[in-house]
Amino acid sequence: MTAQTERSLVLVKPDGFSRGLTGEVLRRIEAKGYTLVALDVLTPTREMLAEHYAEHEGKPFYEPLVDFMSSGHVAAVVIEGNRCIEGFRALAGATDPTAALPGTIRGDLGRDWGRKVQENIVHGSDSPESAAREIAIWFPKL
Ligand code: IDP
């Protein structure tokens, strides 16, 4: 596998932020060897979230997801490192915290909220194209 320095957009979602897990998420990112490039705390607007989650518009979980994501503070972070897009998604674990493996952020810290699968602590970009698009939404000056 060739070395590939990438950036990824990581969000500590309102459930993770309100539970005080931001430091733990950042600790795992730094322990893995990724660099923090930008960091902000904000309550996202529905407009930002509509852009961020454009690919999910129309799906049954879309409106609850936007409601949840705009319900409180999030920590938005740009990380950088070799293949950090795939690497952070491995750190995060599977989307559903119940299915996420122990050792991952969602597996270790996620709770089983029944239907509220959207409360899974973190977001991480899923491709270089998504990362570039998402970083422009959350950090337009970067
Ligand atoms: P990912 O965050 O693991 O990449 P995606 O499929 O991109 O997962 O979905 C984005 C977010 O939408 C998830 O993190 C989760 O919060 C929410 N989500 C995805 N699928 C469902 C679902 O079936 N029910 C409720 N929420 C969902």
Side-chain angles (χ1 to χ4, degrees):
M1 203 57 81
T2 45
Q4 184 73 51
T5 300
E6 295 174 334
R7 288 184 173 187
S8 182
L9 189 273
V10 170
L11 301 175
V12 181
K13 298 183 178 187
D15 59 330
F17 189 90
S18 66
R19 289 174 59 201
L21 297 176
T22 303
E24 174 63 15
V25 171
L26 296 181
R27 188 192 67 73
R28 290 179 185 223
I29 288 168
E30 291 192 301
K32 182 79 173 175
Y34 302 142
T35 306
L36 306 183
V37 174
L39 183 59
D40 195 12
V41 173
L42 71 164
T43 300
T45 63
R46 297 184 76 87
E47 289 70 30
M48 287 171 70
L49 294 165
E51 274 192 73
H52 179 85
Y53 284 124
E55 69 176 296
H56 294 305
E57 202 190 340
K59 294 183 186 168
F61 64 83
Y62 175 80
E63 285 295 334
L65 178 61
V66 172
D67 288 346
F68 161 62
M69 288 295 294
S70 58
S71 69
H73 282 23
V74 310
V77 191
V78 177
I79 67 171
E80 185 173 278
N82 184 46
R83 297 177 64 218
C84 70
I85 293 172
E86 182 182 352
F88 180 76
R89 288 179 69 83
L91 286 183
T95 304
D96 179 349
T98 299
L101 293 177
T104 66
I105 293 167
R106 289 163 171 168
D108 287 347
L109 308 170
R111 294 173 178 169
D112 182 359
W113 289 114
R115 293 179 4 255
K116 295 189 181 174
V117 179
Q118 70 263 26
E119 297 192 11
N120 57 4
I121 306 176
V122 286
H123 163 84
S125 305
D126 66 4
S127 67
E129 295 72 28
S130 300
R133 191 179 65 77
E134 293 171 2
I135 290 168
I137 296 168
W138 294 82
F139 293 96
K141 293 187 197 141
L142 205 63

